[in-house]
Amino acid sequence: MRGRTVEVPRGHATRFDLAVGDRLTVTTPDARSGGDLTFPWFDRGITRNVIGYERYGAPPKLPFHVRPGETLHDTDGTAVLLLEENTSLGEIDIMLPGCRRATYADGRAGCRELVAAALGIPVREVTGMASFWENTTATADYYDPFGPKNERPGDSFSVRALRPVSVAVSACPDTRIRTVPGGCLEVTT
């Protein structure tokens, strides 16, 4: 599937199998959708700890976002994906757990169920998510990941596989966060 572009419509997720060195690029062609990226046993806590140490020289500073040049880790602490680029004004958030079916009154699948199905794993094995193109506010009392959306048509980010891995990308099913109808993502491998 290398060199192909796949459309991921709002409320869906797709699996991509990557070899070492493969690049995956997620683009919002019309600026109407964000979503989540994950892989089996992605560990947000270890990822935040490693990034905090690399950025600030010592733990336990735990950043909210991953920036280009930083890595996403699994539960063994192994670096799995390197964020190479993010052209959006929004961040790649590593705090959110991803929405789930219980989030929605109508019972639609959330990103956790969507990526689990795409990866062919139980939802309980979705241990972390990277939510892309979020604009956040943090205070002493709370963390609000849902600031104004300011993606532009063509915004994208790219990750490179540091080991063989299956990655799932979901296009956000929520219509309250991104109120513009429609929306899809384009993923190129």
Side-chain angles (χ1 to χ4, degrees), residues 1-6 14-17 188-189:
M1 187 154 68
R2 286 165 194 63
R4 290 190 50 210
T5 299
V6 175
T14 302
R15 173 185 174 147
F16 302 90
D17 295 317
T188 304
T189 55

Side-chain angles (χ1 to χ4, degrees), residues 7-20:
E7 183 177 289
V8 181
R10 177 180 272 181
H12 292 81
T14 302
R15 173 185 174 147
F16 302 90
D17 295 317
L18 305 178
V20 173

Side-chain angles (χ1 to χ4, degrees), residues 67-160:
R67 296 177 182 157
E70 297 174 336
T71 52
L72 304 176
H73 296 257
D74 65 14
T75 55
D76 290 329
T78 302
V80 176
L81 294 174
L82 169 70
L83 179 63
E84 290 189 318
E85 179 180 43
N86 178 17
T87 67
S88 174
L89 300 173
E91 301 280 358
I92 310 295
D93 186 282
I94 51 174
M95 290 291 290
L96 296 175
C99 66
R100 56 193 179 96
R101 188 176 309 280
T103 304
Y104 303 109
D106 62 6
R108 80 185 95 155
C111 282
R112 294 180 69 78
E113 289 88 9
L114 295 171
V115 298
L119 291 169
I121 61 175
V123 174
R124 72 178 175 277
E125 291 180 17
V126 177
T127 52
M129 306 280 266
S131 301
F132 43 90
W133 305 324
E134 299 298 340
N135 291 297
T136 59
T137 301
T139 73
D141 293 326
Y142 67 88
Y143 177 74
D144 178 6
F146 300 118
K149 302 302 171 205
N150 58 1
E151 298 98 69
R152 301 159 298 194
D155 278 355
S156 67
F157 72 91
S158 297
V159 294
R160 184 169 41 91

